[in-house]
Amino acid sequence: MKKKWLVLTLFLCSTLAAAIAQQHAPQLFADSLVKPRMRIIIDNDFGGDPDGLFQLVHHLLSPSVEIRGIIGSHLRAGDGFDPSKETAANAKKKIEEVLNIMNAGKSFNVYQGSNVALENDSTAQPSAAASAIIKEAMRDDTKLPLYVVCGAGLTDLASAYLKEPAIASRLTLIWIGGPEYAELATPPPGYTSLEYNLAIDLKAGQVIFNQSAINVWQIPRNVYRQVMLPYSSLLLKVKIQGRIGAYLTTNIERVMKMGLKYNFNVGETYIIGDSPLVLLTALQSSFEADPSSSFYVLRPSPLINSQGLYQVNHKGRNIRVYTALDTGLLLEDFLSKLVLFNQNK
């Protein structure tokens, strides 16, 4: 009899663990008509530009994605947002801060990425994040496609690939980063040739673009700059939505105040440039699923040189380079989900 009870107890515990591991978003729709269509691993430098926090909250409120892990990744050494040497550790703390505010503190697996960039293009930086990517990518017990959505440097995915190249055929990378393609767009005034996210880890970018066969959907600088949230909407539509709305607003206002302190006028819009990661995953079309209201071109993956610029690679595998985003759908969904979340608390 005791043996039967032990077996039953173990079965219930394993069932409960499996349920917890499904990593579902907070319930927004009472009738549960929306189910996960894909798996995602979120990778972002949450201790830096607060646009990543908007992307994180939006993904957490999107029931069509099954979040298999959230990675806090590092910033470039000496970054003004966090000049410490523990930027990945601090990014992980920001994830935990958001989850606690949303009463989802233990609902998701949170990983710390490497605190430093790759030393070269052949040696991985070990991290819990890289190991988690490999483990999820190599699963054979699910048919849900896997997307790694990254709004920062590519250190942890590149490290995962260097440790286990077989992951290349088992996931799609959606990356916010890289400069403009000369034939597609003009750089912004006062631009730097080495784009911000690529500069976080240039070697990692070279691993993914120059060496790997990973399927890439790229949102370069001219495209992620299309997602602009006016301060008026932040005050009227975000700040009023409970603790999480106030939290997001405070983080943007912190940057505005910091800018004024150093005689830099941020103005009255803010680019939430990491949010396309939600648009291209959770908000895909119903039939023949794809981000059908946004536009891209297929082109051979370029080689990235030591200056962070593209070089033509006629032998490169085709990648998607997005040229236009459905910002209306993206912002409407984000603002509506904040209202629903605040109402359903």
Side-chain angles (χ1 to χ4, degrees), residues 51-310:
D51 63 340
L53 301 174
F54 282 73
Q55 173 259 319
L56 175 60
V57 170
H58 197 172
H59 257 138
L60 290 170
L61 296 177
S62 299
S64 63
V65 298
E66 183 178 314
I67 301 173
R68 298 303 305 170
I70 309 173
I71 296 168
S73 58
H74 70 91
L75 295 165
R76 191 178 185 182
D79 191 289
F81 281 110
D82 181 358
S84 77
K85 295 182 179 180
E86 302 292 328
T87 57
N90 292 337
K92 182 173 180 284
K93 291 176 183 177
K94 294 294 281 189
I95 298 167
E96 292 163 346
E97 199 171 81
V98 168
L99 292 175
N100 286 332
I101 291 172
M102 298 179 72
N103 296 317
K106 301 298 181 181
S107 300
F108 298 90
N109 291 324
V110 179
Y111 303 99
Q112 180 183 318
S114 168
N115 273 311
V116 293
L118 298 186
E119 294 181 2
N120 54 60
D121 63 2
S122 59
T123 307
Q125 286 287 5
S127 69
S131 298
I133 292 171
I134 295 171
K135 182 178 180 181
E136 188 63 33
M138 299 306 292
R139 285 177 60 193
D140 289 319
D141 60 340
T142 177
K143 294 183 179 180
L144 291 179
L146 175 63
Y147 294 85
V148 175
V149 299
C150 184
L154 294 167
T155 305
D156 299 303
L157 179 59
S159 294
Y161 170 76
L162 290 171
K163 291 173 67 176
E164 180 50 83
I167 69 171
S169 62
R170 304 174 72 94
L171 60 86
T172 295
L173 166 66
I174 305 180
W175 182 47
I176 306 289
E180 298 75 13
Y181 287 80
E183 63 273 35
L184 296 178
T186 301
Y191 73 98
T192 56
S193 58
L194 185 55
E195 184 271 333
Y196 183 89
N197 283 347
L198 183 57
I200 292 174
D201 193 339
L202 177 57
K203 293 295 183 185
Q206 291 174 323
V207 169
I208 299 301
F209 279 76
N210 301 5
Q211 297 181 26
S212 84
I214 290 174
N215 187 31
V216 174
W217 296 2
Q218 183 186 7
I219 303 95
R221 177 169 53 194
N222 60 296
V223 182
Y224 67 68
R225 283 167 51 83
Q226 295 173 10
V227 189
M228 301 174 72
L229 182 68
Y231 186 46
S232 55
S233 292
L234 193 68
L235 295 177
L236 287 177
K237 299 179 180 180
V238 177
K239 189 174 184 178
I240 62 172
Q241 299 306 330
R243 289 179 64 207
I244 195 61
Y247 174 84
L248 292 173
T249 303
T250 297
N251 273 276
I252 296 295
E253 290 179 333
R254 172 174 55 84
V255 177
M256 296 170 74
K257 292 173 183 176
M258 183 170 64
L260 293 175
K261 180 180 177 181
Y262 293 99
N263 297 314
F264 177 75
N265 188 349
V266 173
E268 56 181 286
T269 65
Y270 202 86
I271 297 171
I272 50 173
D274 290 340
S275 291
L277 298 174
V278 184
L279 177 68
L280 302 187
T281 53
L283 302 180
Q284 292 187 13
S285 57
S286 300
F287 299 102
E288 299 171 330
D290 205 49
S292 59
S293 60
S294 297
F295 301 98
Y296 65 88
V297 295
L298 282 177
R299 58 187 302 135
S301 174
L303 296 174
I304 296 177
N305 67 21
S306 58
Q307 287 75 47
L309 301 175
Y310 304 128

